[in-house]
Amino acid sequence: MSSVLLGYDTGVMSGAMIYIQRDLKINDVQKEILVGTINVYSLLGSAIAGRTCDWIGRRYTIAMAGVIFFAGAILMACATNYAFLMFGRFVAGLGVGYALMIAPVYSAEISPRSIRGFITSFTEVFINFGVLLGYVSNYFFAKLATNLGWRFMMGVGAIPSVMLFVGGLIMPESPRWLMMHGRVGEASRILEKTSETLQEARERLADIKQAAGIPEDNHEEVVEVPNRQAGGRGAWREMFIHPTRAVLHITIAGIGLCFFQQASGIDSVVMYSPTIFEKAGITSDNGKLLATISVGVTKTIFILVSTFNIDKFGRRILLLTSTGGLVCSLLGLAIGLTVIDQHPTEKLTGAVAVCFFCVLSSVATFSMGMGPVAWVYSSEIFPLRLRALGSGLAAAMNRLVSGVILMTFISLYKAITIGGAFFLFAGIAFVAFIFFFTLLPETQGRGLEEMEEMFGTFFKWRSTVRELEERKKLKAEEGKKNDLA
């Protein structure tokens, strides 16, 4: 539900802004700001959520996100002018930021390691599902009067926020958050419910106790936590003022991954798909909205590829394959749009078909890896004491970049042509491929408490992973010898 909030808003705004522009008589600059500011506002929401979820807990933070977005959706639906609509966007943006930061963290912390990637990738699955719902909502409510249709499009977004609020109140708390606050007994009972075996629950409990600084043989219901500083000034200091090499590597990897996920321009493809299709020669409102629905269907289908394979093939293979495919798709779209721009009076059916195919292949390749892996990876690599802050900053970076791109896309393509804009995005995606290949180690099958030891050697992480594997084998062999003895 937290992901549906963002996805629905992204999808519905792509069509709603056609009718908002007609009804409220806004210009292109106001249109850019309207589309992109929710991401800037969600940047603030994500940053605040990191502290909030350490203070009141993961599940109550999720419930709070539902309340905030509900208020924003109602305000947007009732807006009578541009300023009122922008205030509604501000409130909704805070809710999106809260939800977007906390959902992957909660999923990663409560899931057993064998399906952690599968569960955490639901963030991107349901962003895509929300986008598709937004597109479908556009198509059906577009049949209403201009001043009513877009209001219904925006107001329907309040429904998932109600479900998110109710779910946040009834789901179990994160066992890692409970342990950070000394509630050992409660954390142990939740681990037993969310682990595949009792033995796994005990192993997870021991790892979390070690990370929280609680002696393994302490079985009291509530204990005093010696190093309870997560989310406070100590966490900021450890991440940015006096970081260890491992923490610095993790911070660069997590925030860098979320930066490149959006810097590749995928949100401009999704949000401005009606504009792209218009530039490619599809001119009717109905045709543009139907073509846009196909984008949502493609995203939703292809996200399932990574969801069911992320724990099988690992994060790196899906991420690198996805990024390579995105580079090729964006190049194809750039070439197709450039050809159409250079022949404005001709109807180039072949070039239109290439553009349509490349839009679909862009969202397909992105959804296969880059989309879900960014949320999975950034939520699992930060150590427990830094996880809420680190994941919040990664989500904030993601939303900031998305907001900047969406607020400047129209101005950008007017300055360098729409084909030139996608050549630029393709170049950024290529840089992203190099970044992912050289700096991001594989995390598949690792416990959350094991992540930190893989980082710290930056470009030489492969030798570190080999050493850890050899050490693990030696430890297993010693264990077998001790069992035999």
Side-chain angles (χ1 to χ4, degrees):
M1 287 302 103
S2 65
S3 300
V4 166
L5 295 181
L6 174 62
Y8 182 83
D9 186 88
T10 302
V12 82
M13 187 52 73
S14 69
M17 64 184 175
I18 298 172
Y19 306 101
I20 292 171
Q21 191 168 24
R22 293 173 188 170
D23 187 29
L24 300 183
K25 308 294 188 292
I26 62 176
N27 58 40
D28 280 348
V29 174
Q30 289 175 311
K31 180 177 167 183
E32 281 181 318
I33 294 171
L34 176 66
V35 169
T37 45
I38 195 167
N39 294 292
V40 178
Y41 301 147
S42 66
L43 158 77
L44 178 61
S46 293
I48 299 171
R51 187 65 183 269
T52 305
C53 74
D54 276 338
W55 178 39
I56 65 172
R58 306 331 192 200
R59 70 192 187 105
Y60 287 129
T61 302
I62 291 171
M64 185 185 294
V67 173
I68 296 170
F69 190 87
F70 178 85
I74 298 301
L75 287 169
M76 288 190 291
C78 297
T80 54
N81 54 49
Y82 182 72
F84 194 160
L85 183 60
M86 286 299 294
F87 178 68
R89 294 291 279 171
F90 170 72
V91 176
L94 291 179
V96 166
Y98 261 79
L100 200 60
M101 176 266 152
I102 189 58
V105 170
Y106 178 84
S107 299
E109 289 189 343
I110 206 164
S111 306
R113 71 180 66 177
S114 60
I115 57 166
R116 188 177 64 239
F118 174 73
I119 296 294
T120 311
S121 68
F122 282 175
T123 297
E124 188 68 18
V125 170
F126 287 103
I127 287 176
N128 286 340
F129 183 64
V131 168
L132 178 58
L133 288 179
Y135 289 159
V136 172
S137 174
N138 286 338
Y139 182 71
F140 284 104
F141 289 125
K143 295 174 174 58
L144 298 177
T146 301
N147 66 331
L148 285 179
W150 69 265
R151 298 180 191 279
F152 275 95
M153 294 174 192
M154 307 307 293
V156 167
I159 296 172
S161 64
V162 174
M163 299 171 72
L164 182 66
F165 172 75
V166 174
L169 295 180
I170 63 175
M171 66 174 90
E173 184 52 87
S174 160
R176 287 172 170 84
W177 182 83
L178 292 169
M179 195 70 74
M180 283 166 56
H181 290 75
R183 294 156 65 177
V184 177
E186 197 177 341
S188 177
R189 288 189 290 275
I190 291 174
L191 284 169
E192 288 175 9
K193 291 179 181 179
T194 58
S195 299
E196 293 181 306
T197 64
L198 191 59
Q199 178 62 29
E200 184 189 352
R202 288 171 182 161
E203 289 174 359
R204 290 172 70 190
L205 182 65
D207 288 342
I208 299 169
K209 276 185 175 180
Q210 184 181 3
I214 300 171
E216 192 174 339
D217 57 357
N218 189 328
H219 303 297
E220 294 179 28
E221 185 73 16
V222 179
V223 301
E224 186 70 28
V225 182
N227 60 345
R228 185 175 154 190
Q229 60 174 345
R233 284 177 292 179
W236 283 94
R237 192 181 302 116
E238 186 176 354
M239 281 187 71
F240 298 109
I241 300 176
H242 302 296
T244 62
R245 286 178 63 84
V247 168
L248 180 60
H249 187 180
I250 287 170
T251 302
I252 292 170
I255 295 178
L257 174 54
C258 284
F259 167 83
F260 280 115
Q261 189 213 44
Q262 288 301 325
S264 60
I266 192 64
D267 270 8
S268 63
V269 176
V270 174
M271 186 70 84
Y272 288 104
S273 51
T275 303
I276 295 169
F277 289 135
E278 184 177 347
K279 289 285 182 182
I282 302 171
T283 53
S284 71
D285 283 354
N286 204 46
K288 284 184 284 187
L289 292 177
L290 281 173
T292 302
I293 287 175
S294 68
V295 173
V297 171
T298 303
K299 279 177 67 67
T300 304
I301 291 172
F302 277 86
I303 185 63
L304 297 176
V305 173
S306 63
T307 299
F308 289 103
N309 290 295
I310 195 166
D311 287 313
K312 181 179 178 182
F313 296 123
R315 285 56 161 159
R316 276 179 59 83
I317 290 177
L318 289 176
L319 184 61
L320 294 172
T321 303
S322 164
T323 310
L326 182 63
V327 171
C328 296
S329 300
L330 290 172
L331 280 174
L333 180 58
I335 292 168
L337 289 169
T338 300
V339 169
I340 291 171
D341 254 0
Q342 291 176 348
H343 300 84
T345 57
E346 299 177 41
K347 189 169 180 63
L348 303 173
T349 308
V352 171
V354 167
C355 291
F356 183 72
F357 173 78
C358 287
V359 167
L360 297 187
S361 65
S362 293
V363 297
T365 52
F366 177 86
S367 297
M368 284 171 58
M370 247 179 130
V373 170
W375 300 115
V376 173
Y377 201 88
S378 63
S379 66
E380 67 185 3
I381 60 173
F382 289 98
L384 177 60
R385 64 192 181 278
L386 305 175
R387 187 169 300 135
L389 175 62
S391 298
L393 292 174
M397 174 61 77
N398 183 275
R399 293 298 88 201
L400 173 64
V401 177
S402 175
V404 169
I405 286 175
L406 291 177
M407 286 193 292
T408 58
F409 181 70
I410 295 176
S411 302
L412 178 67
Y413 81 64
K414 284 182 177 178
I416 63 172
T417 75
I418 193 165
F422 285 106
F423 275 122
L424 175 62
F425 291 143
I428 294 171
F430 180 73
V431 174
F433 182 92
I434 296 171
F435 177 85
F436 300 154
F437 183 80
T438 55
L439 276 175
L440 272 58
E442 180 58 72
T443 59
Q444 177 195 17
R446 301 272 179 178
L448 292 182
E449 284 66 40
E450 299 173 24
M451 296 294 179
E452 194 171 355
E453 60 189 6
M454 290 196 303
F455 291 84
T457 50
F458 298 93
F459 301 107
K460 298 178 181 177
W461 61 265
R462 290 171 179 81
S463 58
T464 303
V465 171
R466 281 194 296 271
E467 288 173 15
L468 290 172
E469 291 298 327
E470 288 170 10
R471 203 182 307 162
K472 209 171 182 179
K473 286 178 184 176
L474 288 172
K475 192 175 180 181
E477 288 171 4
E478 286 174 10
K480 286 179 183 178
K481 287 177 183 177
N482 291 335
D483 289 342
L484 290 171

